Amino acid sequence: MSAAVSIRAVHKHFGALHALNDVSLEVPRGSFFGMLGPNGAGKSTLINIMSGLVKADTGSVAIMGHDVVGAYRQSRHALGVVPQELVYDPFFTVREILVLQSGYFGHGRENHAWIDELLETLTLSDKADTNLHNLSGGMKRRVLIAQALVHKPEVVVLDEPTAGVDVELRQALWHFTKRLHNDGRTILLTTHYLEEAEALCEQIAVLNRGQVVAVDSKQALLARCPYRTLHLTVDRADVTLPDAIQSLVVETLGNSITLRLHKTDDPIGDVLKAVQVAGLEVIDLSIEEAGLEEVFLALTGQPPEVAL
């Protein structure tokens, strides 16, 4: 069985800028796949090549086994892209733009039932006859999702779908996205919020400066960071910790102590025993495992705030 998305040895230049440098990547069918990277990593260029908006200099890209150049009709039909920009046509109502988009892919009246289902699922039914210009930003984003799905694509690309939306809409979008995934669609997600990728994605690729620097399961990527954070609240703040423990401290605030522990070299039991020997009583503690933010920083050398 071919991959949902197959990218092989892709190069793309924009003048002197080598935007994509020998990028090879496969997105398994039915997966929830994350693509992360800082600004300028090449993610948008790669998505544009997948959707036919940009042509690679060399290499190949296929969607559900269909080459995006040689079999462009089939590849376009298999792909739906939700862009990060709010692009809309102010001359149409919600229903009209969905019917028009449906027609681009050869669908007629037989697809109207699916359009009605999209409107209902995305809470757009009461806005169906509203001009797009008069919708809120959140509603426009729902329309973009409906447009990407109106031709029933097997692969759905979500390019920062929750950027700038409120918490309620974010939760609604992820609920709908999970439903799409459970229905068998392949989801490819780029997001500025690394906690979203950590919560949703099964596999993740990290791009940096036009190259793929990591592709692995989420669990395997998280395992690359062998550290955990231990937060302690002790009964007082005027005691000096032993040197062996002090070297692990990353922050002290009053009677709160934060330590960074190596998962194998710094057993939590030994740390707690040393704290007690120092004459401190532990009132509260919590353990925080390393997340994608630490892995991202280690792979790209850039903080997650500038991701995407």
Side-chain angles (χ1 to χ4, degrees), residues 119 123-130 139:
L119 290 171
T123 323
L124 288 168
S125 294
D126 62 339
K127 304 291 184 181
D129 298 318
T130 301
M139 286 297 173

Side-chain angles (χ1 to χ4, degrees), residues 198 204 216-227 263 289-296:
E198 188 170 341
I204 294 172
D216 219 327
S217 68
K218 176 178 62 181
Q219 291 77 11
L221 280 177
L222 291 173
R224 294 189 182 199
C225 187
Y227 294 96
K263 292 180 181 179
E289 297 293 338
L292 270 182
E293 289 191 4
E294 287 198 54
V295 177
F296 183 93

